[in-house]
């Protein structure tokens, strides 16, 4: 199965989640080590200043990060349990409601993916930091984030 088809499967799984439905997050690009998701703000996503609510930005970033964390191991997901352990975000600029859609881009290196695959094969627990950058429709960075993806062998 190619990366595009895998990406569609991953996003189809994400689309079943209530938060993803509420935010309207969509997949843009999915490849080994890379996940890009998009969100066009609606009125219910905005705060009192007309900006994208901080919690929604955080959720957008987490969605991109977790997609990137599984991007090189989709074929091994039946053997693993994956969850975000923690996350942090730096809000760099206003995320004005009319400056969308917003893109969240997350990437991990091929070297890291290779190690993750080896650790899964060895049934070694993994904690992987996954970075994210969120940009507005001009390409301006409005937030940077990082999440720890915990990948453990699935219990029998």
């Amino acid at each position: 199965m190619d990366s595009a088809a895998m990406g569609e499967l991953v996003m189809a799984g994400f689309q079943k989640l209530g938060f993803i439905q509420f935010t309207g997050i969509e997949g843009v690009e999915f490849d080994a080590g890379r996940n890009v998701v998009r969100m066009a703000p609606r009125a219910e996503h905005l705060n009192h200043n007309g900006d994208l609510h901080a919690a929604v930005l955080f959720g957008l970033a987490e969605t991109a990060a977790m997609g990137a964390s599984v991007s090189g191991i989709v074929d091994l997901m039946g053997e693993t349990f994956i969850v975000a352990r923690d996350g942090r975000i730096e809000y760099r600029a206003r995320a004005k409601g009319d400056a969308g859609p917003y893109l969240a881009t997350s990437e991990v290196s091929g070297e890291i993916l290779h190690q993750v695959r080896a650790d899964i094969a060895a049934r070694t627990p993994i904690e992987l930091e996954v970075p994210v950058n969120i940009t507005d429709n001009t390409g301006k960075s409005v937030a940077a984030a990082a999440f720890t993806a915990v990948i453990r062998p699935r219990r029998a």
Side-chain angles (χ1 to χ4, degrees):
M1 180 179 302
D2 67 10
S3 294
M6 284 188 197
E8 288 177 21
L9 285 175
V10 170
M11 282 311 297
F14 284 177
Q15 293 297 325
K16 294 177 183 177
L17 304 173
F19 179 78
I20 303 300
Q21 293 171 8
F22 169 74
T23 58
I25 294 172
E26 303 172 315
V28 173
E29 183 182 339
F30 186 88
D31 203 354
R34 181 172 168 86
N35 186 40
V36 181
V37 294
R38 169 182 44 230
M39 183 199 157
R42 298 187 304 255
E44 61 268 27
H45 304 138
L46 305 180
N47 66 18
H48 62 286
N49 293 318
D51 299 338
L52 197 56
H53 194 288
V56 174
L57 280 168
F58 189 90
L60 178 64
E62 190 269 349
T63 302
M66 294 311 290
S69 73
V70 303
S71 65
I73 62 166
V74 174
D75 59 318
L76 302 175
M77 287 183 62
E79 302 169 35
T80 61
F81 170 81
I82 303 167
V83 67
R85 185 191 73 203
D86 58 35
R88 63 187 183 283
I89 192 165
E90 173 190 349
Y91 303 104
R92 296 179 165 174
R94 287 184 64 188
K96 297 176 183 178
D98 60 0
Y102 287 88
L103 288 179
T105 303
S106 184
E107 295 182 278
V108 293
S109 72
E111 180 179 318
I112 290 173
L113 287 180
H114 179 76
Q115 184 61 51
V116 167
R117 291 184 69 81
D119 288 344
I120 290 171
R123 299 192 53 78
T124 302
I126 303 157
E127 291 194 1
L128 172 67
E129 183 168 282
V130 187
V132 181
N133 185 44
I134 300 177
T135 57
D136 65 14
N137 62 14
T138 69
K140 178 182 177 182
S141 179
V142 298
F147 292 83
T148 303
V150 175
I151 304 170
R152 301 278 188 257
R154 188 169 294 279
R155 294 182 182 149

